[in-house]
Amino acid sequence: MNRPDVAAPRPLVYADDSESDRMIVSQLWSKVAGTPPVCVEDGEDLMAHLERCLAGEEIWPRLVLLDLNMPVMSGYEVLDAIKCDPRLRPLPVVVFSTSGQRADVERCYARRANGYLVKHIDVNALKRALERTHAFWFEHVVPPDMEKAGSTS
Amino acid sequence: MDCVRVIVVDDNPADARLVAKLLDRCEGPPTTEVRVFDDAVAALASLRGEPSLVGEEIAHLVLLDQNLPRMTGVEFLREARSDPALAALPIVVLSSSVAPGDVDSAYAEGANAYLRKPVDLDQTRALVDLIHGFWSQTCRLPELSA
């Protein structure tokens, strides 16, 4: 089994079932961050990816960007799975949804989402949102030690 | 949201005043209304609702120092997260300590993010601009009632 390079920059992991959203966010994020995000297609894929992080087979993400309405396992179920597991709880997860409804926003923060972004249709607004997300989470936030959290039982 | 209400909790009055002043000067929209508390116990009491606040929206964002007398930042997080009325409140730790124990316990207790408190004015200004740009102008914040 190949072990990941622990010194490599930690990526954004982006979970979204919409192929067109994955494509546009990938393109914009590559411009903003200099590296493409790791994309997964639904909640189950994301949890499988995080299991590989726990097993030491993948690099931990710096941030997870999470769509809410996905088949197989929704964003809400993912939030519960991550934030109720002490090994995963410190991992920053920012919700990325077309819904700007007050109830959805509150429901996500109550489930310990670290932030909530509304998907912009306008590309320039989306790019600006991703730039600020990058500046905040990748350049300024002191990240949690996921290796340490992941090794707690 | 036209006006974002931010609570700054810091026992160092100079730090708190500086962050409050810089936040107040950030270009809107939205505008920012800042309240400063030098003590986490007082901030918590205010968030839990003085009688006059019942039915009104509480703060949208808390900037929390870690090393506070009476109640530490981590104790504040634990109290807030176990209170259904405050469980969804975004709380960003702003601390001069980046000791792994402090960072990890803040995330474990439900901090939304952890930032290192800058040491000079230019860095503080840049960080406050970034907090405003990400949290007030980019993020959707919960509108919680007391």
CSV table of all heavy atoms in Angstrom, one decimal, chain A residues 89-90 92 94 100-102 105-106 109-110 112-118 128-129 132-133 135-137 140-145 148, chain B residues 57 81 87-88 90 98 103-104 107-108 110-116 127 130-131 133-135 137-145:
chain,number,residue,atom,x,y,z
A,89,ARG,N,-14.7,14.7,14.0
A,89,ARG,CA,-15.4,15.9,14.4
A,89,ARG,C,-14.6,17.2,14.1
A,89,ARG,O,-15.2,18.2,13.7
A,89,ARG,CB,-15.7,15.8,15.9
A,89,ARG,CG,-16.6,17.0,16.3
A,89,ARG,CD,-16.9,16.9,17.8
A,89,ARG,NE,-17.7,15.7,18.1
A,89,ARG,CZ,-17.7,15.0,19.2
A,89,ARG,NH1,-16.8,15.4,20.2
A,89,ARG,NH2,-18.4,14.0,19.4
A,90,PRO,N,-13.2,17.2,14.4
A,90,PRO,CA,-12.5,18.5,14.2
A,90,PRO,C,-12.4,18.9,12.7
A,90,PRO,O,-12.1,20.1,12.5
A,90,PRO,CB,-11.1,18.3,14.8
A,90,PRO,CG,-11.3,17.0,15.6
A,90,PRO,CD,-12.4,16.2,15.0
A,92,PRO,N,-12.9,20.6,9.4
A,92,PRO,CA,-13.8,21.7,9.0
A,92,PRO,C,-14.6,21.3,7.7
A,92,PRO,O,-14.1,20.8,6.7
A,92,PRO,CB,-12.8,22.8,8.6
A,92,PRO,CG,-11.6,22.5,9.4
A,92,PRO,CD,-11.5,21.0,9.4
A,94,VAL,N,-17.6,23.0,5.3
A,94,VAL,CA,-18.4,24.1,4.9
A,94,VAL,C,-19.5,23.7,3.9
A,94,VAL,O,-19.2,23.0,2.9
A,94,VAL,CB,-17.5,25.2,4.3
A,94,VAL,CG1,-18.4,26.3,3.6
A,94,VAL,CG2,-16.6,25.9,5.4
A,100,GLY,N,-30.8,29.0,0.3
A,100,GLY,CA,-30.4,30.0,1.2
A,100,GLY,C,-31.5,30.2,2.3
A,100,GLY,O,-31.5,31.2,3.0
A,101,GLN,N,-32.3,29.2,2.4
A,101,GLN,CA,-33.4,29.3,3.4
A,101,GLN,C,-32.9,29.2,4.8
A,101,GLN,O,-32.1,28.4,5.2
A,101,GLN,CB,-34.4,28.1,3.2
A,101,GLN,CG,-35.2,28.3,1.9
A,101,GLN,CD,-36.4,27.4,1.8
A,101,GLN,OE1,-37.0,27.2,2.9
A,101,GLN,NE2,-36.8,27.0,0.6
A,102,ARG,N,-33.5,30.1,5.6
A,102,ARG,CA,-33.1,30.3,7.0
A,102,ARG,C,-33.1,28.9,7.8
A,102,ARG,O,-32.2,28.6,8.5
A,102,ARG,CB,-34.1,31.3,7.6
A,102,ARG,CG,-33.8,31.6,9.0
A,102,ARG,CD,-34.7,32.7,9.5
A,102,ARG,NE,-34.6,32.9,11.0
A,102,ARG,CZ,-35.1,33.9,11.7
A,102,ARG,NH1,-35.8,34.8,11.0
A,102,ARG,NH2,-34.9,33.9,13.0
A,105,VAL,N,-30.1,26.8,6.8
A,105,VAL,CA,-28.9,27.4,7.3
A,105,VAL,C,-28.7,27.0,8.8
A,105,VAL,O,-27.7,26.5,9.3
A,105,VAL,CB,-28.9,28.9,7.2
A,105,VAL,CG1,-27.6,29.5,7.8
A,105,VAL,CG2,-28.9,29.3,5.7
A,106,GLU,N,-29.8,27.2,9.6
A,106,GLU,CA,-29.8,26.9,11.0
A,106,GLU,C,-29.6,25.4,11.3
A,106,GLU,O,-28.8,25.0,12.2
A,106,GLU,CB,-31.1,27.4,11.7
A,106,GLU,CG,-31.0,27.4,13.2
A,106,GLU,CD,-32.2,27.9,13.8
A,106,GLU,OE1,-32.9,28.8,13.3
A,106,GLU,OE2,-32.5,27.5,15.0
A,109,TYR,N,-25.8,24.6,10.8
A,109,TYR,CA,-25.0,25.0,11.9
A,109,TYR,C,-25.3,24.2,13.1
A,109,TYR,O,-24.3,23.9,13.9
A,109,TYR,CB,-25.2,26.5,12.1
A,109,TYR,CG,-24.4,27.4,11.2
A,109,TYR,CD1,-25.1,28.1,10.2
A,109,TYR,CD2,-23.0,27.6,11.2
A,109,TYR,CE1,-24.4,29.0,9.3
A,109,TYR,CE2,-22.3,28.4,10.4
A,109,TYR,CZ,-23.0,29.1,9.4
A,109,TYR,OH,-22.3,29.9,8.5
A,110,ALA,N,-26.5,23.9,13.4
A,110,ALA,CA,-26.9,23.1,14.6
A,110,ALA,C,-26.2,21.7,14.5
A,110,ALA,O,-25.9,21.1,15.5
A,110,ALA,CB,-28.4,23.0,14.7
A,112,ARG,N,-23.3,21.3,13.4
A,112,ARG,CA,-21.9,21.6,13.5
A,112,ARG,C,-21.2,21.9,12.2
A,112,ARG,O,-20.0,21.7,12.1
A,112,ARG,CB,-21.1,20.4,14.2
A,112,ARG,CG,-21.6,20.1,15.6
A,112,ARG,CD,-21.0,21.1,16.6
A,112,ARG,NE,-21.2,20.6,17.9
A,112,ARG,CZ,-22.4,20.9,18.6
A,112,ARG,NH1,-23.3,21.6,18.0
A,112,ARG,NH2,-22.5,20.5,19.8
A,113,ALA,N,-22.0,22.3,11.1
A,113,ALA,CA,-21.3,22.8,10.0
A,113,ALA,C,-20.4,23.9,10.4
A,113,ALA,O,-20.8,24.7,11.2
A,113,ALA,CB,-22.3,23.2,8.9
A,114,ASN,N,-19.2,24.0,9.8
A,114,ASN,CA,-18.3,25.1,10.2
A,114,ASN,C,-18.6,26.4,9.5
A,114,ASN,O,-18.2,27.4,9.9
A,114,ASN,CB,-16.8,24.7,9.9
A,114,ASN,CG,-16.4,23.5,10.8
A,114,ASN,OD1,-16.8,22.4,10.6
A,114,ASN,ND2,-15.5,23.8,11.7
A,115,GLY,N,-19.3,26.3,8.4
A,115,GLY,CA,-19.7,27.5,7.6
A,115,GLY,C,-20.8,27.1,6.6
A,115,GLY,O,-21.1,25.9,6.4
A,116,TYR,N,-21.4,28.1,6.0
A,116,TYR,CA,-22.5,27.8,5.0
A,116,TYR,C,-22.4,28.8,3.9
A,116,TYR,O,-22.5,30.0,4.1
A,116,TYR,CB,-23.8,27.9,5.7
A,116,TYR,CG,-25.0,27.4,5.0
A,116,TYR,CD1,-25.7,26.3,5.4
A,116,TYR,CD2,-25.5,28.1,3.8
A,116,TYR,CE1,-26.8,25.8,4.7
A,116,TYR,CE2,-26.6,27.6,3.1
A,116,TYR,CZ,-27.3,26.4,3.6
A,116,TYR,OH,-28.3,26.0,2.9
A,117,LEU,N,-22.2,28.3,2.7
A,117,LEU,CA,-22.1,29.1,1.5
A,117,LEU,C,-23.3,28.8,0.6
A,117,LEU,O,-23.6,27.7,0.4
A,117,LEU,CB,-20.8,28.9,0.7
A,117,LEU,CG,-19.5,29.1,1.4
A,117,LEU,CD1,-18.3,28.7,0.5
A,117,LEU,CD2,-19.3,30.5,1.9
A,118,VAL,N,-23.8,29.9,0.0
A,118,VAL,CA,-24.9,29.7,-1.0
A,118,VAL,C,-24.2,29.6,-2.4
A,118,VAL,O,-23.4,30.5,-2.7
A,118,VAL,CB,-25.9,30.8,-0.9
A,118,VAL,CG1,-26.9,30.7,-2.1
A,118,VAL,CG2,-26.7,30.7,0.4
A,128,ARG,N,-15.3,34.8,-6.4
A,128,ARG,CA,-15.0,35.6,-5.2
A,128,ARG,C,-15.2,34.8,-3.9
A,128,ARG,O,-14.5,34.9,-3.0
A,128,ARG,CB,-15.8,36.9,-5.3
A,128,ARG,CG,-15.3,38.0,-4.3
A,128,ARG,CD,-15.8,39.4,-4.7
A,128,ARG,NE,-17.3,39.4,-4.7
A,128,ARG,CZ,-18.0,39.7,-5.8
A,128,ARG,NH1,-17.4,40.0,-6.9
A,128,ARG,NH2,-19.3,39.7,-5.8
A,129,ALA,N,-16.4,34.1,-3.9
A,129,ALA,CA,-16.6,33.3,-2.7
A,129,ALA,C,-15.5,32.2,-2.5
A,129,ALA,O,-15.1,32.0,-1.3
A,129,ALA,CB,-18.0,32.6,-2.8
A,132,ARG,N,-12.3,33.9,-1.1
A,132,ARG,CA,-12.4,34.2,0.3
A,132,ARG,C,-12.3,32.9,1.1
A,132,ARG,O,-11.8,32.9,2.2
A,132,ARG,CB,-13.7,35.0,0.6
A,132,ARG,CG,-13.5,36.4,0.1
A,132,ARG,CD,-14.8,37.2,0.2
A,132,ARG,NE,-14.7,38.6,0.0
A,132,ARG,CZ,-15.6,39.4,-0.2
A,132,ARG,NH1,-16.9,39.0,-0.2
A,132,ARG,NH2,-15.4,40.7,-0.3
A,133,THR,N,-13.0,31.9,0.6
A,133,THR,CA,-12.9,30.6,1.3
A,133,THR,C,-11.5,30.1,1.4
A,133,THR,O,-11.0,29.7,2.4
A,133,THR,CB,-13.8,29.6,0.6
A,133,THR,OG1,-15.1,30.0,0.5
A,133,THR,CG2,-13.7,28.2,1.3
A,135,ALA,N,-8.7,32.1,1.2
A,135,ALA,CA,-7.9,32.9,2.0
A,135,ALA,C,-8.1,32.6,3.5
A,135,ALA,O,-7.2,32.6,4.3
A,135,ALA,CB,-8.2,34.4,1.7
A,136,PHE,N,-9.4,32.4,3.8
A,136,PHE,CA,-9.7,32.2,5.2
A,136,PHE,C,-9.2,30.8,5.7
A,136,PHE,O,-8.4,30.7,6.6
A,136,PHE,CB,-11.2,32.3,5.5
A,136,PHE,CG,-11.6,32.2,6.9
A,136,PHE,CD1,-11.5,33.4,7.7
A,136,PHE,CD2,-12.1,31.0,7.5
A,136,PHE,CE1,-11.8,33.3,9.1
A,136,PHE,CE2,-12.4,31.0,8.9
A,136,PHE,CZ,-12.3,32.1,9.7
A,137,TRP,N,-9.6,29.7,5.0
A,137,TRP,CA,-9.4,28.4,5.5
A,137,TRP,C,-8.0,27.9,5.2
A,137,TRP,O,-7.4,27.0,5.9
A,137,TRP,CB,-10.4,27.4,5.0
A,137,TRP,CG,-11.8,27.6,5.6
A,137,TRP,CD1,-12.8,28.3,5.0
A,137,TRP,CD2,-12.2,27.3,6.9
A,137,TRP,NE1,-13.9,28.4,5.9
A,137,TRP,CE2,-13.5,27.7,7.1
A,137,TRP,CE3,-11.6,26.5,7.9
A,137,TRP,CZ2,-14.3,27.5,8.2
A,137,TRP,CZ3,-12.4,26.3,9.1
A,137,TRP,CH2,-13.7,26.8,9.2
A,140,HIS,N,-5.2,31.3,6.6
A,140,HIS,CA,-5.2,32.0,8.0
A,140,HIS,C,-5.7,31.0,9.1
A,140,HIS,O,-5.2,31.2,10.2
A,140,HIS,CB,-6.1,33.2,8.0
A,140,HIS,CG,-5.4,34.4,7.3
A,140,HIS,ND1,-5.4,34.5,6.0
A,140,HIS,CD2,-4.7,35.4,7.8
A,140,HIS,CE1,-4.7,35.6,5.7
A,140,HIS,NE2,-4.3,36.1,6.8
A,141,VAL,N,-6.6,30.1,8.9
A,141,VAL,CA,-7.1,29.3,10.0
A,141,VAL,C,-6.0,28.4,10.5
A,141,VAL,O,-5.2,27.8,9.7
A,141,VAL,CB,-8.3,28.5,9.5
A,141,VAL,CG1,-8.5,27.2,10.3
A,141,VAL,CG2,-9.6,29.3,9.5
A,142,VAL,N,-5.9,28.2,11.8
A,142,VAL,CA,-5.0,27.2,12.4
A,142,VAL,C,-5.8,25.9,12.3
A,142,VAL,O,-6.8,25.8,13.0
A,142,VAL,CB,-4.6,27.6,13.8
A,142,VAL,CG1,-3.6,26.5,14.4
A,142,VAL,CG2,-4.1,29.0,13.9
A,143,PRO,N,-5.3,24.9,11.5
A,143,PRO,CA,-6.1,23.7,11.3
A,143,PRO,C,-6.0,22.7,12.5
A,143,PRO,O,-5.1,22.8,13.3
A,143,PRO,CB,-5.5,23.1,10.1
A,143,PRO,CG,-4.1,23.5,10.1
A,143,PRO,CD,-4.1,24.9,10.7
A,144,PRO,N,-7.0,21.9,12.6
A,144,PRO,CA,-6.9,20.8,13.7
A,144,PRO,C,-5.9,19.8,13.3
A,144,PRO,O,-5.6,19.6,12.1
A,144,PRO,CB,-8.3,20.2,13.7
A,144,PRO,CG,-8.9,20.5,12.3
A,144,PRO,CD,-8.2,21.8,11.8
A,145,ASP,N,-5.4,19.1,14.3
A,145,ASP,CA,-4.5,18.0,14.0
A,145,ASP,C,-5.3,16.7,13.7
A,145,ASP,O,-5.7,16.0,14.6
A,145,ASP,CB,-3.6,17.8,15.2
A,145,ASP,CG,-2.5,16.7,15.0
A,145,ASP,OD1,-2.7,15.9,14.0
A,145,ASP,OD2,-1.5,16.7,15.8
A,148,LYS,N,-3.9,13.2,14.8
A,148,LYS,CA,-4.1,13.0,16.2
A,148,LYS,C,-5.6,12.6,16.5
A,148,LYS,O,-5.8,11.6,17.2
A,148,LYS,CB,-3.6,14.2,17.0
A,148,LYS,CG,-3.5,13.9,18.5
A,148,LYS,CD,-2.9,15.1,19.2
A,148,LYS,CE,-3.1,15.0,20.7
A,148,LYS,NZ,-3.2,16.3,21.3
B,57,GLU,N,-33.5,38.7,17.5
B,57,GLU,CA,-32.3,37.9,17.1
B,57,GLU,C,-31.1,38.2,18.0
B,57,GLU,O,-30.9,39.3,18.4
B,57,GLU,CB,-31.9,38.3,15.7
B,57,GLU,CG,-32.6,37.5,14.6
B,57,GLU,CD,-32.2,38.1,13.2
B,57,GLU,OE1,-31.0,38.2,13.0
B,57,GLU,OE2,-33.1,38.3,12.4
B,81,ARG,N,-22.5,25.0,23.2
B,81,ARG,CA,-22.8,23.9,22.3
B,81,ARG,C,-23.8,22.9,23.0
B,81,ARG,O,-24.6,22.2,22.3
B,81,ARG,CB,-21.6,23.1,21.9
B,81,ARG,CG,-20.7,23.8,21.0
B,81,ARG,CD,-21.4,24.5,19.8
B,81,ARG,NE,-20.5,25.2,18.9
B,81,ARG,CZ,-20.9,26.3,18.3
B,81,ARG,NH1,-22.0,26.9,18.5
B,81,ARG,NH2,-20.0,26.9,17.4
B,87,ALA,N,-26.6,26.3,20.1
B,87,ALA,CA,-25.8,25.3,19.5
B,87,ALA,C,-25.4,25.6,18.1
B,87,ALA,O,-24.3,25.2,17.6
B,87,ALA,CB,-26.6,24.0,19.5
B,88,ALA,N,-26.2,26.4,17.4
B,88,ALA,CA,-25.9,26.8,16.0
B,88,ALA,C,-25.1,28.1,15.8
B,88,ALA,O,-24.8,28.4,14.7
B,88,ALA,CB,-27.2,26.9,15.2
B,90,PRO,N,-22.3,30.6,15.2
B,90,PRO,CA,-20.9,30.5,14.8
B,90,PRO,C,-20.0,31.1,15.8
B,90,PRO,O,-20.1,32.3,16.1
B,90,PRO,CB,-20.9,31.2,13.4
B,90,PRO,CG,-22.4,31.2,13.0
B,90,PRO,CD,-23.2,31.3,14.3
B,98,VAL,N,-1.2,29.1,20.0
B,98,VAL,CA,-1.5,28.1,19.0
B,98,VAL,C,-0.9,26.7,19.5
B,98,VAL,O,-0.5,25.9,18.7
B,98,VAL,CB,-0.9,28.4,17.6
B,98,VAL,CG1,-1.7,29.5,16.9
B,98,VAL,CG2,0.6,28.9,17.7
B,103,VAL,N,-5.7,24.4,20.4
B,103,VAL,CA,-6.3,24.3,19.1
B,103,VAL,C,-7.3,23.1,19.0
B,103,VAL,O,-8.4,23.2,18.7
B,103,VAL,CB,-5.3,24.2,18.0
B,103,VAL,CG1,-6.0,24.1,16.6
B,103,VAL,CG2,-4.4,25.5,18.0
B,104,ASP,N,-6.7,21.9,19.4
B,104,ASP,CA,-7.5,20.7,19.3
B,104,ASP,C,-8.7,20.7,20.2
B,104,ASP,O,-9.8,20.2,19.8
B,104,ASP,CB,-6.6,19.5,19.5
B,104,ASP,CG,-5.6,19.3,18.4
B,104,ASP,OD1,-5.8,19.8,17.3
B,104,ASP,OD2,-4.5,18.7,18.7
B,107,TYR,N,-11.5,22.9,18.6
B,107,TYR,CA,-12.3,22.2,17.6
B,107,TYR,C,-13.1,21.1,18.1
B,107,TYR,O,-14.3,20.9,17.7
B,107,TYR,CB,-11.3,21.6,16.5
B,107,TYR,CG,-10.8,22.7,15.5
B,107,TYR,CD1,-9.5,23.1,15.5
B,107,TYR,CD2,-11.6,23.3,14.6
B,107,TYR,CE1,-9.0,24.0,14.7
B,107,TYR,CE2,-11.2,24.2,13.7
B,107,TYR,CZ,-9.9,24.6,13.7
B,107,TYR,OH,-9.4,25.5,12.8
B,108,ALA,N,-12.6,20.3,19.1
B,108,ALA,CA,-13.4,19.2,19.7
B,108,ALA,C,-14.6,19.7,20.4
B,108,ALA,O,-15.6,19.0,20.4
B,108,ALA,CB,-12.5,18.4,20.6
B,110,GLY,N,-16.3,22.3,19.4
B,110,GLY,CA,-17.3,22.9,18.5
B,110,GLY,C,-17.0,24.3,18.0
B,110,GLY,O,-17.9,25.0,17.5
B,111,ALA,N,-15.7,24.7,18.1
B,111,ALA,CA,-15.3,26.0,17.5
B,111,ALA,C,-15.5,25.9,15.9
B,111,ALA,O,-15.2,24.9,15.4
B,111,ALA,CB,-13.9,26.3,17.8
B,112,ASN,N,-16.1,26.9,15.3
B,112,ASN,CA,-16.2,26.9,13.9
B,112,ASN,C,-14.9,27.1,13.1
B,112,ASN,O,-14.7,26.6,12.0
B,112,ASN,CB,-17.2,28.0,13.4
B,112,ASN,CG,-18.6,27.7,13.8
B,112,ASN,OD1,-18.9,27.6,15.0
B,112,ASN,ND2,-19.5,27.4,12.9
B,113,ALA,N,-14.0,27.8,13.7
B,113,ALA,CA,-12.6,28.0,13.2
B,113,ALA,C,-11.7,28.5,14.3
B,113,ALA,O,-12.2,29.0,15.3
B,113,ALA,CB,-12.7,29.0,12.0
B,114,TYR,N,-10.4,28.4,14.0
B,114,TYR,CA,-9.4,28.9,15.0
B,114,TYR,C,-8.4,29.7,14.3
B,114,TYR,O,-7.8,29.3,13.3
B,114,TYR,CB,-8.7,27.6,15.6
B,114,TYR,CG,-7.9,27.9,16.9
B,114,TYR,CD1,-8.4,27.5,18.1
B,114,TYR,CD2,-6.7,28.6,16.9
B,114,TYR,CE1,-7.7,27.7,19.3
B,114,TYR,CE2,-6.0,28.8,18.1
B,114,TYR,CZ,-6.5,28.4,19.3
B,114,TYR,OH,-5.8,28.6,20.4
B,115,LEU,N,-8.3,31.0,14.8
B,115,LEU,CA,-7.4,31.9,14.2
B,115,LEU,C,-6.3,32.4,15.2
B,115,LEU,O,-6.6,32.5,16.4
B,115,LEU,CB,-8.1,33.2,13.7
B,115,LEU,CG,-9.1,32.9,12.6
B,115,LEU,CD1,-10.0,34.2,12.4
B,115,LEU,CD2,-8.4,32.6,11.3
B,116,ARG,N,-5.1,32.6,14.7
B,116,ARG,CA,-4.1,33.1,15.6
B,116,ARG,C,-4.3,34.7,15.7
B,116,ARG,O,-4.4,35.3,14.7
B,116,ARG,CB,-2.7,32.8,15.0
B,116,ARG,CG,-1.6,33.4,15.8
B,116,ARG,CD,-0.3,33.1,15.1
B,116,ARG,NE,0.7,32.9,16.2
B,116,ARG,CZ,1.8,32.2,16.1
B,116,ARG,NH1,2.0,31.5,15.1
B,116,ARG,NH2,2.6,32.2,17.1
B,127,LEU,N,-6.6,40.6,9.0
B,127,LEU,CA,-7.4,39.5,9.5
B,127,LEU,C,-8.8,39.9,9.7
B,127,LEU,O,-9.7,39.1,9.4
B,127,LEU,CB,-6.8,38.9,10.8
B,127,LEU,CG,-7.4,37.7,11.3
B,127,LEU,CD1,-7.1,36.5,10.3
B,127,LEU,CD2,-7.0,37.3,12.7
B,130,LEU,N,-10.5,40.0,6.5
B,130,LEU,CA,-10.8,38.6,6.0
B,130,LEU,C,-12.0,38.0,6.8
B,130,LEU,O,-12.9,37.3,6.2
B,130,LEU,CB,-9.6,37.7,6.2
B,130,LEU,CG,-9.6,36.3,5.7
B,130,LEU,CD1,-9.7,36.4,4.2
B,130,LEU,CD2,-8.4,35.5,6.1
B,131,ILE,N,-12.1,38.3,8.1
B,131,ILE,CA,-13.2,37.8,8.9
B,131,ILE,C,-14.5,38.4,8.3
B,131,ILE,O,-15.5,37.7,8.1
B,131,ILE,CB,-13.1,38.1,10.4
B,131,ILE,CG1,-11.9,37.2,11.0
B,131,ILE,CG2,-14.4,37.9,11.1
B,131,ILE,CD1,-11.5,37.7,12.3
B,133,GLY,N,-14.9,39.6,5.2
B,133,GLY,CA,-15.1,39.1,3.9
B,133,GLY,C,-15.7,37.7,3.8
B,133,GLY,O,-16.5,37.4,3.0
B,134,PHE,N,-15.2,36.9,4.7
B,134,PHE,CA,-15.7,35.5,4.6
B,134,PHE,C,-17.0,35.3,5.4
B,134,PHE,O,-18.0,34.9,4.9
B,134,PHE,CB,-14.6,34.5,5.2
B,134,PHE,CG,-15.1,33.1,5.1
B,134,PHE,CD1,-15.2,32.4,3.9
B,134,PHE,CD2,-15.5,32.4,6.3
B,134,PHE,CE1,-15.7,31.1,3.8
B,134,PHE,CE2,-16.0,31.1,6.2
B,134,PHE,CZ,-16.1,30.4,5.0
B,135,TRP,N,-17.0,35.7,6.7
B,135,TRP,CA,-18.2,35.5,7.5
B,135,TRP,C,-19.4,36.4,7.2
B,135,TRP,O,-20.5,35.9,7.0
B,135,TRP,CB,-17.8,35.5,9.0
B,135,TRP,CG,-17.0,34.3,9.4
B,135,TRP,CD1,-15.6,34.3,9.5
B,135,TRP,CD2,-17.5,33.0,9.6
B,135,TRP,NE1,-15.2,33.0,9.8
B,135,TRP,CE2,-16.3,32.2,9.9
B,135,TRP,CE3,-18.7,32.4,9.6
B,135,TRP,CZ2,-16.4,30.8,10.2
B,135,TRP,CZ3,-18.8,31.0,9.9
B,135,TRP,CH2,-17.6,30.3,10.2
B,137,GLN,N,-19.7,38.7,4.5
B,137,GLN,CA,-20.0,38.9,3.1
B,137,GLN,C,-20.2,37.7,2.3
B,137,GLN,O,-20.8,37.7,1.2
B,137,GLN,CB,-19.0,39.8,2.5
B,137,GLN,CG,-18.9,41.2,3.1
B,137,GLN,CD,-18.1,42.2,2.4
B,137,GLN,OE1,-16.9,41.9,2.1
B,137,GLN,NE2,-18.7,43.3,2.0
B,138,THR,N,-19.6,36.5,2.7
B,138,THR,CA,-19.7,35.3,1.9
B,138,THR,C,-20.6,34.3,2.5
B,138,THR,O,-21.3,33.6,1.8
B,138,THR,CB,-18.2,34.8,1.6
B,138,THR,OG1,-17.4,35.9,1.1
B,138,THR,CG2,-18.2,33.7,0.7
B,139,CYS,N,-20.4,34.0,3.8
B,139,CYS,CA,-21.2,33.0,4.5
B,139,CYS,C,-22.6,33.4,4.7
B,139,CYS,O,-22.9,34.6,4.9
B,139,CYS,CB,-20.6,32.7,5.8
B,139,CYS,SG,-19.5,31.2,5.8
B,140,ARG,N,-23.5,32.5,4.7
B,140,ARG,CA,-24.8,32.7,5.2
B,140,ARG,C,-24.8,32.4,6.7
B,140,ARG,O,-24.3,31.3,7.1
B,140,ARG,CB,-25.8,31.8,4.5
B,140,ARG,CG,-27.2,32.2,4.5
B,140,ARG,CD,-27.5,33.6,4.0
B,140,ARG,NE,-27.2,33.7,2.5
B,140,ARG,CZ,-28.2,33.7,1.6
B,140,ARG,NH1,-29.5,33.5,2.0
B,140,ARG,NH2,-27.9,33.8,0.4
B,141,LEU,N,-25.3,33.3,7.6
B,141,LEU,CA,-25.2,33.1,9.0
B,141,LEU,C,-26.6,32.8,9.6
B,141,LEU,O,-27.6,33.2,9.0
B,141,LEU,CB,-24.7,34.4,9.7
B,141,LEU,CG,-23.2,34.8,9.3
B,141,LEU,CD1,-22.9,36.2,9.8
B,141,LEU,CD2,-22.2,33.8,9.9
B,142,PRO,N,-26.6,32.0,10.6
B,142,PRO,CA,-28.0,31.7,11.2
B,142,PRO,C,-28.6,32.9,11.9
B,142,PRO,O,-27.9,33.7,12.5
B,142,PRO,CB,-27.6,30.6,12.2
B,142,PRO,CG,-26.2,30.8,12.6
B,142,PRO,CD,-25.5,31.4,11.4
B,143,GLU,N,-29.9,33.0,11.8
B,143,GLU,CA,-30.6,34.1,12.5
B,143,GLU,C,-31.3,33.4,13.6
B,143,GLU,O,-32.4,32.9,13.5
B,143,GLU,CB,-31.6,34.7,11.5
B,143,GLU,CG,-30.8,35.4,10.3
B,143,GLU,CD,-31.7,35.7,9.1
B,143,GLU,OE1,-32.6,36.5,9.3
B,143,GLU,OE2,-31.5,35.1,8.1
B,144,LEU,N,-30.7,33.5,14.8
B,144,LEU,CA,-31.2,32.8,16.0
B,144,LEU,C,-32.0,33.7,16.9
B,144,LEU,O,-31.6,34.9,17.0
B,144,LEU,CB,-30.1,32.1,16.8
B,144,LEU,CG,-29.1,31.2,15.9
B,144,LEU,CD1,-27.9,30.9,16.7
B,144,LEU,CD2,-29.8,30.0,15.4
B,145,SER,N,-33.0,33.2,17.5
B,145,SER,CA,-33.8,34.0,18.4
B,145,SER,C,-33.4,33.7,19.8
B,145,SER,O,-33.1,32.5,20.1
B,145,SER,CB,-35.3,33.8,18.2
B,145,SER,OG,-35.6,34.1,16.9
